[in-house]
Amino acid sequence: MDRRQQKTRSAILTAFTTLLAKESYSKITVQKIIDTANVGRTTFYSHFQAKDDLLKSLCEELFGHIISSAMDCTHTHGLYSDMSAPTSVFCHLLQHLQENSNNILGLLASENNDIFLRYFKNSLDELIKTQFVSQNRKNNTDIPQEFLINHISGSFVEMVLWWLKGRMKQSPEELDRYFQAVIKPIL
């Protein structure tokens, strides 16, 4: 994709994110998106097949970036300029959420949050599978792996929502400590 196409795609995604912060997903039309992005209908459809495709792309970009950054502790965005990166992938993930790049916390807290929470949870599933459940599990070996993954990712998502509702009073390190205390006995 050349620079002009990247710029157009970025404008469409930014317009969509801006609209999502103001109104529900169901009320956003392709026309509103192209008006906000200042692009034509043909241009929109050359990048995305439909509004749902745009939503999927936005979520994959947001959550994929955060999850991959959390898995790769060398990818720090300057978070750790005065300290070392955390050893816990969950703490790293919480720090990226706290950094709130791309207003991801606003999207998770918005009236559209069910859509974003579903994508967030699905993105977490792979992280949890590779980082925890597939790694020498010692406890509860009779419980299906898919159940554990679903349970842990669902618990993490609920914890993030609880954190947001409480105005993020706890530090990522504190939340990580709570979460580790709850999931370690399971694994």
Side-chain angles (χ1 to χ4, degrees):
M1 188 179 311
D2 69 26
R3 268 191 284 183
R4 188 174 44 87
Q5 290 172 321
Q6 288 173 348
K7 189 175 178 180
T8 301
R9 182 178 173 86
S10 177
I12 293 168
L13 286 165
T14 300
F16 186 51
T17 303
T18 301
L19 289 167
L20 283 169
K22 297 176 186 173
E23 58 188 289
S24 72
Y25 175 74
S26 62
K27 292 182 181 176
I28 297 171
T29 63
V30 169
Q31 187 62 50
K32 285 182 183 179
I33 297 166
I34 62 176
D35 288 346
T36 305
N38 196 26
V39 298
R41 187 169 292 278
T42 304
T43 301
F44 175 88
Y45 286 114
S46 70
H47 290 274
F48 303 99
Q49 294 177 8
K51 181 176 79 166
D52 289 345
D53 186 40
L54 175 58
L55 175 66
K56 182 179 183 218
S57 181
L58 175 68
C59 289
E60 285 173 351
E61 185 177 305
L62 289 173
F63 299 123
H65 176 73
I66 286 176
I67 299 293
S68 65
S69 295
M71 289 174 75
D72 176 13
C73 287
T74 62
H75 188 119
T76 61
H77 289 280
L79 283 171
Y80 311 108
S81 57
D82 57 347
M83 62 184 156
S84 61
T87 55
S88 164
V89 71
F90 289 117
C91 187
H92 193 115
L93 181 56
L94 289 164
Q95 288 173 334
H96 275 278
L97 288 171
Q98 185 181 47
E99 186 183 44
N100 199 19
S101 57
N102 298 320
N103 193 28
I104 196 165
L105 294 178
L107 294 172
L108 290 174
S110 74
E111 68 178 78
N112 300 299
N113 75 350
D114 58 323
I115 296 165
F116 295 102
L117 292 173
R118 185 171 7 104
Y119 277 101
F120 183 40
K121 187 188 165 309
N122 290 342
S123 299
L124 282 170
D125 286 349
E126 188 60 30
L127 171 76
I128 290 164
K129 179 181 178 184
T130 59
Q131 297 290 311
F132 297 96
V133 177
S134 297
Q135 303 288 326
N136 302 321
R137 182 166 47 138
K138 295 171 180 66
N139 297 331
N140 300 308
T141 55
D142 56 331
I143 297 174
Q145 178 172 303
E146 297 80 27
F147 179 85
L148 282 175
I149 292 167
N150 182 64
H151 178 72
I152 294 167
S153 62
S155 180
F156 188 84
V157 167
E158 287 299 322
M159 179 187 69
V160 169
L161 285 176
W162 174 82
W163 189 39
L164 288 174
K165 287 177 187 169
R167 302 187 188 270
M168 300 170 65
K169 292 176 187 162
Q170 298 78 13
S171 69
E173 294 78 13
E174 215 175 338
L175 274 182
D176 179 55
R177 196 174 68 249
Y178 300 162
F179 192 69
Q180 294 287 342
V182 172
I183 67 163
K184 278 192 179 178
I186 296 170
L187 300 173

